[in-house]
Amino acid sequence: MYIPHQNKVEDWNEIRRFVESARAADLVTVNPEGLPIATLMPMVWEVEDLESGNFGKLVMHMARANEQWKQIAPGAKGLAILRGAQAYISPTNYANKQSDHKVVPTWNYQSVHLSGTVEISEDTELLLQIVTDLTKAHESKREVPWRVEESDPRYLELELKGIVAVILHITKVEAKSKLSQNKSIADQERIIEDLYATGIPGEEDVANEMARNLEA
């Protein structure tokens, strides 16, 4: 991933926070013909000590009917792309728009790329554990979280037969936060105000991230 110096994120706490908030990733692999294939899957990042260089693994599951997993050879490489909110940034927010006119539109966004080796498994116990962990992660903020144990056992067994486990053993982590850091504080404040006012889905989230960045 291309990351200018001012947009590079190296704070592991920030990276973990972002990945947890993203909740799903596009897993990109290459089939035997050399064509890239991607599937969006909910995920859990199992990691303990990022600073030591042990990046852990991204745990997911894919529909058995999906051809992608069948074309992943043992030891194949994969790329998981996690995206946050994104927004168009208008040149009207820049102070010099009426002076030297050296302004152009841009796009603000946050993204994390996790690269590594892909493992496929059809082990039923592993699949049950993955589904349980994913459910706990995504139900955790509900007032009354639903639990896998509440599902009819026979129905759950049939559902597990329809998926395969997909695990990305991570060897590289890249994180980018493009939030107008190259602009003046005044320009950034105008952009934040503008994004809050647009009413476009996701742009308020970008404004919130920009505000957090300024406070930091």
Side-chain angles (χ1 to χ4, degrees):
M1 175 164 55
Y2 168 63
I3 311 178
H5 175 72
Q6 69 269 20
N7 303 130
K8 188 173 184 179
V9 181
E10 298 180 292
D11 185 321
W12 291 117
N13 290 327
E14 280 297 302
I15 293 172
R16 292 189 70 163
R17 181 189 70 85
F18 176 85
V19 171
E20 289 174 3
S21 67
R23 303 194 299 167
D26 285 293
L27 179 69
V28 183
T29 57
V30 178
N31 71 10
E33 287 74 42
L35 295 174
I37 309 175
T39 298
L40 178 68
M41 292 175 282
M43 54 75 199
V44 170
W45 189 9
E46 294 185 359
V47 61
E48 293 182 3
D49 186 11
L50 283 166
E51 293 183 0
S52 70
N54 179 8
F55 302 136
K57 56 189 177 181
L58 204 65
V59 180
M60 304 160 279
H61 64 76
M62 182 181 293
R64 185 175 290 274
N66 190 328
E67 290 295 319
Q68 183 178 2
W69 74 270
K70 302 174 185 177
Q71 300 177 1
I72 299 175
K77 302 299 182 183
L79 168 66
I81 301 174
L82 300 96
R83 298 185 182 91
Q86 46 192 305
Y88 169 81
I89 307 301
S90 171
T92 58
N93 291 295
Y94 303 144
N96 61 326
K97 67 181 183 295
Q98 298 297 337
S99 54
D100 58 24
H101 299 284
K102 294 180 179 179
V103 294
V104 291
T106 191
W107 199 259
N108 276 8
Y109 63 93
Q110 293 175 297
S111 181
V112 169
H113 285 189
L114 304 176
S115 305
T117 303
V118 183
E119 175 191 355
I120 302 296
S121 175
E122 301 177 69
D123 182 81
T124 302
E125 290 187 8
L126 175 60
L127 282 166
L128 178 58
Q129 187 61 55
I130 289 174
V131 170
T132 301
D133 291 344
L134 282 167
T135 301
K136 286 181 179 179
H138 297 293
E139 289 276 343
S140 62
K141 294 184 179 179
R142 291 183 176 273
E143 185 175 347
V144 183
W146 183 85
R147 299 177 298 112
V148 169
E149 293 80 3
E150 297 178 46
S151 181
D152 178 85
R154 292 183 180 179
Y155 178 76
L156 180 60
E157 183 180 355
L158 288 173
E159 289 295 297
L160 291 175
K161 290 179 179 179
I163 60 176
V164 296
V166 182
I167 301 171
L168 180 68
H169 298 275
I170 303 166
T171 57
K172 185 177 182 181
V173 178
E174 299 172 288
K176 181 176 184 178
S177 183
K178 184 177 179 294
L179 298 174
S180 299
Q181 295 98 323
N182 61 329
K183 298 300 180 182
S184 68
I185 292 178
D187 280 355
Q188 292 184 56
E189 290 174 340
R190 276 190 293 272
I191 293 169
I192 292 170
E193 184 178 354
D194 186 29
L195 293 177
Y196 279 138
T198 66
I200 297 174
E203 295 202 344
E204 181 178 346
D205 293 331
V206 175
N208 288 336
E209 288 300 311
M210 290 184 64
R212 284 184 70 252
N213 191 58
L214 277 181
E215 290 175 3

